[in-house]
Every structure is written in structure tokens, then in C-alpha cells.
Amino acid sequence: MEAKVELNSQTAADLVAAQEARAPRVLIVTAVAAERDAVLRGLQGSRRFHVIAAGAGTAAAAAGTAAALAAGSYGCVISAGIGGGFPGRAPVGSLVVASEMLDAALGAETPEGFRSAAELGFGSVSVPAPGGTVQALAAALAAAGLAVSTGTVLTVSTATGTAGTAAELAARHPQAAAEAMEGHGVAVAAQALGIAALELRAISNPVGPRDRAAWKIKEALDALTAAAAILLEVL
């Protein structure tokens, strides 16, 4: 009986390994090591996922993503980490799955206010995420008891620190749920190679006046770990 149980267990392990080998690999790009490690804890050693910390900011994110994509074969790329949530859209401790990754900083100041690079005729500043995957991931996160919302995730070069800037961003981008500093860079690198891109953010603080003492970074990293475990089921 023991031999049969051991054989069945080994067969099951072989089936899982075979399934992982056939499925497209997923690249997950974080900014810093703490985010990378939180994601890795949730992935439980799955060989389908390659997780890197490419550095903070859109330039480092794009360069790190491009280098990883040049060195391997992937079916999907995810920008993942913690970020700020817009009040009323994404509370602290919740998760946001981006419907689009939008560069909110690329543009010009004019007498009439900020104008995006798209408005100036310099091309798109937004990369849409695949809608079916976004909805499937959000539904799976919710089914696991995790608070989640979907919406635009803004990529900024300077993290918002005043109520005035938060209100201006919310007015310009009414669908914005969160802000971070890397998503658009990751998405542009993936888009250049025809690879689908997603962004997943765990909310550590509200977008607005900076109160570092009130940030819930540990709780956000724990939420990121829990979300990464759900990625194993959805992707």
C-alpha cells in the first residue's frame, strides 16, 4: 500500500511538472527586493514564474524588463508591488488590478494646465491590459476573500505628496485607482515585443499628503504575497 501511495504521489508531482513545462512562463517585475521577496513567498517556488527587482522608476523598470525579455521566453509580464490608492477607489490594504497602465507625468505644462504627450501629438501614454485576464484575476482575488478593485494605475515620476496634486490627478484621470512608479515602463517594454502586460498593486497608503508613519507597508506586502498565490491559479 505504501508503494502505491508513493507512486501515486510521484505521478501527481510529475503531472504538475509537465503542466508547468508546457505553460508559458510569466515575468514579474518589481521595483525593490522587499516586493520581489513578497511575490516569491506567494509563488511557492513555481518554476513558471521569474521574478526580478529592476529598480525604482519607469526607466529602470523598462530597461530591466527589456533585458529579461531578451534573455528568455515569456507569455505575460506583470508589474507588481506596493503603491498609493486613490481615496474612495482603493483603500489601504486592498489590491488593484490595472485596466491600463498610464504615464501621468509625460507631457508639458501650458498656460491652460498640464497636457499629456498624447494630447501634444507625441503618441500614446497608455497601455491597456487584456480585459479578460484582468477580470479573471480580480474575480479570483475577490473569491479568495481579498479586497480588490480594477481601474487605471498611474505611473508617476514624483510620488504625490499634497492634496492639491491628488485632486488634480483624480480630475484628469477619473478612472484612476492607484499610482506607482513603474507600471507603464514595464508595459511599454512588453508591448514592443507583442507580449501582454498586467499591473498588480497592493495599497500601502492613500494618494495625497505624505504621512510615512501611517503607511501600512508590511500589510501591503502581505497582501502582495496573498495575491501572488492566486496568480498560480489564474495564469
Side-chain angles (χ1 to χ4, degrees), residues 119-233:
E119 292 173 308
L120 295 170
F122 297 143
S124 175
V125 294
S126 173
V127 178
T133 305
V134 169
Q135 294 306 317
L137 177 55
L141 291 169
L146 300 171
V148 60
S149 57
T150 61
T152 301
V153 176
L154 305 182
T155 299
V156 296
S157 298
T158 302
T160 299
T162 68
T165 300
E168 180 184 345
L169 285 173
R172 281 187 5 226
H173 307 288
Q175 301 305 312
E179 74 166 23
M181 303 180 80
E182 295 82 28
H184 187 259
V186 171
V188 166
Q191 185 182 53
L193 295 175
I195 299 173
L198 299 167
E199 185 168 6
L200 175 64
R201 292 288 161 184
I203 304 304
S204 60
N205 58 277
V207 175
R210 289 174 66 83
D211 181 7
R212 192 66 185 265
W215 289 10
K216 303 293 185 181
I217 293 178
K218 180 184 182 301
E219 290 83 351
L221 291 173
D222 288 344
L224 193 60
T225 295
I230 304 303
L231 293 176
L232 293 168
E233 305 172 11

Side-chain angles (χ1 to χ4, degrees), residues 25-29 48-52 64-69 74-79 186:
R25 295 190 73 207
V26 177
L27 173 65
I28 300 180
V29 184
R48 284 192 52 231
F49 294 81
H50 180 206
V51 188
I52 64 172
T65 302
L69 292 177
Y74 299 94
C76 179
V77 181
I78 303 173
S79 175
V186 171

